[in-house]
């Protein structure tokens, strides 16, 4: 099986070719068609198995079917437990989406809030954020969540291990009920 067999659009296939990615990993082969079909997904995937591509590629394709986000709004949200992972996921999204008109913004703590607030003024197709910083941006009215179509929880097990359960509960309460939800985790404990 190759990526072209998964129903991905040409700009994504071209980017994958430029990145020298020709064969999907097992998690990608299973997840990409499910995400493209609009289904919610819970997937177990260890680090290094191509997990980011499993949600990034179909997410980028689905964005083409959605209206552009309004100012301070987002179409998709990827939550990660650490700023290092947030930056890595944002970089991967930009690499895969290099041939698409996609606006990806990354937001995490430990740095000034103002540049992230300024970046959100035009809105974003995808916001990759840590839970605490997302809540900071929302409380300052820098991020509106009413247009959200897709939520991705990346490394959900680590988010709970790091004590983000309260923040996740607050975030989930703010999101539209009608959305696609994708949960990726290395393990599935009872809290997940």
């Amino acid at each position: 099986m190759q990526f072209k067999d998964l129903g991905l659009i040409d700009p994504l296939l071209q980017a994958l070719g430029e990145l020298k990615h020709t064969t999907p990993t097992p998690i990608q082969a299973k997840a990409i068609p499910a995400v493209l079909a609009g289904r919610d997904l819970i997937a177990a995937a260890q680090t290094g198995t191509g997990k980011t591509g499993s949600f990034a590629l179909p997410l980028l394709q689905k964005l083409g079917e959605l209206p552009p986000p309004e100012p301070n709004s987002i179409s998709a949200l990827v939550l990660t437990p650490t700023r290092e992972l947030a930056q890595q996921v944002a970089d991967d999204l930009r690499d895969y989406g290099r041939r698409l008109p996609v606006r990806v913004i990354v937001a995490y703590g430990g740095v000034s809030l103002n540049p992230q607030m300024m970046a959100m003024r035009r809105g974003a197709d995808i916001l990759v954020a840590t839970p605490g910083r997302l809540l900071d941006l929302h409380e300052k009215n820098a991020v509106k969540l009413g247009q959200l179509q897709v939520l991705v929880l990346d490394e959900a097990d680590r988010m709970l291990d790091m004590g983000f359960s309260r923040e996740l509960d607050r975030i989930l309460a703010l999101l539209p009920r009608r959305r696609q939800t994708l949960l990726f985790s290395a393990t599935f404990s009872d809290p997940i």
Side-chain angles (χ1 to χ4, degrees), residues 17 41 55 71 83 104 117 126 171 190:
L41 180 69
F55 64 79
R83 64 181 176 180
V104 178
M117 290 174 60
I126 305 171
I171 291 166
D190 287 340

Side-chain angles (χ1 to χ4, degrees), residues 40-116:
D40 290 344
L41 180 69
I42 297 175
Q46 298 297 324
T47 301
T49 59
K51 170 179 51 77
T52 303
S54 299
F55 64 79
L57 292 163
L59 179 57
L60 288 163
Q61 182 161 321
K62 289 174 69 73
L63 289 173
E65 303 163 9
L66 301 175
E70 295 173 7
N72 294 95
S73 294
I74 57 174
S75 298
L77 171 63
V78 180
L79 286 175
T80 68
T82 66
R83 64 181 176 180
E84 294 82 12
L85 183 57
Q87 189 62 61
Q88 177 187 330
V89 169
D91 291 345
D92 287 347
L93 282 161
R94 290 180 185 120
D95 279 346
Y96 292 137
R98 63 176 63 183
R99 297 194 166 267
L100 296 169
V102 173
R103 185 164 159 76
V104 178
I105 293 177
V106 63
Y108 47 76
V111 296
S112 175
L113 183 64
N114 283 343
Q116 295 170 1

